[in-house]
């Protein structure tokens, strides 16, 4: 066992503080230490994107970040995006447009898609496919994922316009 | 996949990094984005008893585009390169190449310094920087020096950087003429089967200068002076293109792996270089 270090982070708006070995991977911190099990482990080799979270405003693969690197950070996971009673527009769109089958990739997909739509609120199909290239789905064939993200973008843009 | 344990440090300045490297010698290693190093540590192919995270070190970030050239701090990420419009205007090949590296999440973490310091023949930026004739700034305990990208790579994971030196910046002379970064890969997020970086200057309808570097076709990137020379003075006719491709074939030394046998890689290298030259010429 290596020496533990004192870690502080804000996850989905909640301050967390604990001791951990620096080598702990962020995905295990979230899932096993903090019981935030939305982000999944698909490959554990930085390829599939099932573990995607937002770290200090950027999409990252939590299986390829040491908890020590995330000390002092702000993290958002799928749990921080919507609640069962008040789903995020992307969650609504994935549900409406069959953007998921088994659902294993979905938390990573949706968490990544929130950042994609922040960076580019009105993406073309090609831009969606390119922007989602770090997330692999073995069920849907991606068609309905693209459709869902397009629909959510339209919905979010309409809501923004209505608010202005 | 749990890496071996290590001591973790997050110094605030370069002196702090250099002191740790001095104290721990071979047992210490710096980490930038960690997207080459962490996978190696998880596989236990790299053991790093003392890990020095560069994320808080002052002075390693920032993109400067000046009249003479470009300076990229070592900790500039691939995403930051893509997002910077001034950079894309001054040296469009940087954005074109960065967009072909990995995927959005990886590009948010992966840095230019880590990519060029790593020494993996699969990395795209070493060849790119050789094409652009970039130089790397290396800061050691009592010295600072510049090493040309074209002189930096010795063998796979072997570079001119000493263990106690930190790569702090990449400087690039403003490129002239047309550019292209062409990469053949099996899927998005894959390393190159073959890639070519080309920068061509056209004057009065013929080629005034050409710079060509190839990626993942040898145990180092291959800057191929002869291939560029074969184009100079020509109007990029078939004979000149054939001569450039032949010169490149003589310089590379691919080996068989899961991306294919040697003959296939040579074939792909030829196709990719032809495409890159033609596209760079069309933009020159
Ligand atoms: C799924 C996946 C796909 C990828 N695909 C590609 C691809 O197609 N093309 C490509 O080029 N790369 C690819 N990469 C690698 C990625 O671009 C890495 O981020 C990059 O190679 C290393 O940058 P880093 O900042 O993550 O460095 P790190 O992993 O932190 O470091 C890499 C090495 O460089 C050393 N180092 C880092 N910074 C410095 C410094 N400032 N001074 C001295 N030494 C330093 C470290 O000690 C380490 O040995 C991929 C990675 C993944 C996970
Ligand atoms: S589990 Fe992290 S990328 Fe697959
Ligand atoms: S819905 Fe099953 S992996 Fe995407």
């Amino acid at each position: 066992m290596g020496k533990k270090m004192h870690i502080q982070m804000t996850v989905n708006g909640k301050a967390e503080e604990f001791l951990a070995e620096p080598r702990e991977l962020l995905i295990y911190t979230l899932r096993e230490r903090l019981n935030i099990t939305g982000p999944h482990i698909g490959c554990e080799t930085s390829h599939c994107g099932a573990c995607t979270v937002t770290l200090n405003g950027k999409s990252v693969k939590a299986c390829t970040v040491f908890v020590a690197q995330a000390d002092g950070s702000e993290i958002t996971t799928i749990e921080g995006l919507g609640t069962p009673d008040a789903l995020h527009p992307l969650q609504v769109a994935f549900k409406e447009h069959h953007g998921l089958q088994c659902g294993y990739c979905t938390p990573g997909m949706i968490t990544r898609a929130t950042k994609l739509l922040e960076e580019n609120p009105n993406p073309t199909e090609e831009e969606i496919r390119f922007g989602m290239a770090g997330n692999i789905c073995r069920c849907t064939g991606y068609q309905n994922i693209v459709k869902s993200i397009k629909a959510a973008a339209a919905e979010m843009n309409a809501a923004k316009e209505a608010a202005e | 996949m749990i890496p071996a344990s290590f001591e973790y440090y997050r110094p605030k300045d370069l002196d702090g990094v250099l002191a740790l490297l001095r104290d721990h010698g071979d047992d210490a290693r710096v980490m930038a984005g960690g997207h080459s190093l962490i996978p190696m540590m998880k596989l236990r192919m790299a053991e790093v008893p003392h890990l020095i995270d560069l994320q808080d070190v002052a002075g390693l970030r920032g993109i400067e585009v000046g009249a003479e050239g470009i300076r990229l701090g070592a900790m500039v990420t691939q995403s930051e390169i893509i997002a910077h419009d001034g950079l894309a205007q001054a040296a469009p090949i940087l954005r074109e190449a960065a967009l072909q590296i990995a995927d959005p999440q990886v590009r948010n973490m992966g840095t230019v310094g880590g990519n060029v310091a790593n020494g993996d023949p699969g990395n795209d930026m070493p060849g790119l920087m050789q094409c652009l004739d970039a130089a790397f700034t290396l800061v050691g305990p009592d010295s600072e020096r510049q090493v040309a990208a074209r002189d930096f790579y010795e063998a796979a994971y072997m570079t001119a950087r000493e263990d106690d030196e930190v790569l702090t910046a990449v400087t690039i002379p403003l490129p002239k003429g047309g550019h292209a970064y062409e990469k053949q890969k099996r899927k998005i997020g894959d390393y190159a089967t073959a890639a070519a970086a080309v920068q061509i200057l056209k004057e009065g309808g013929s080629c005034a200068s050409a710079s060509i570097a190839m990626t993942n076709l040898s145990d180092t990137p291959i800057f191929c002076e002869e291939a560029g020379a074969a184009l100079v003075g020509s109007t990029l006719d078939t004979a000149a293109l054939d001569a450039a491709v032949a010169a490149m074939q003589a310089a590379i030394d691919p080996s068989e792996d899961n991306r294919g046998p040697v003959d296939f890689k040579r074939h792909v290298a030829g196709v990719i270089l032809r495409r890159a030259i033609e596209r760079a010429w069309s933009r020159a």
Side-chain angles (χ1 to χ4, degrees), chain A residues 73-124:
Chain A
S73 69
E74 257 183 60
I75 295 168
T76 306
T77 69
I78 187 80
E79 285 87 346
L81 297 177
T83 63
D85 301 327
L87 293 176
H88 186 281
L90 272 159
Q91 291 171 315
V92 176
F94 270 65
K95 188 172 152 222
E96 294 292 317
H97 297 272
H98 303 280
L100 63 152
Q101 287 177 23
C102 79
Y104 201 85
C105 69
T106 314
M109 284 284 173
I110 291 181
T111 309
R112 168 60 200 148
T114 59
K115 297 313 293 180
L116 171 66
L117 293 184
E118 265 174 43
E119 290 153 19
N120 180 358
N122 216 344
T124 62

Side-chain angles (χ1 to χ4, degrees), chain B residues 254-257 260-267:
Chain B
S255 43
E256 176 166 350
D257 59 19
V262 171
D263 286 351
F264 173 71
K265 290 190 173 183
R266 286 195 175 276
H267 174 72

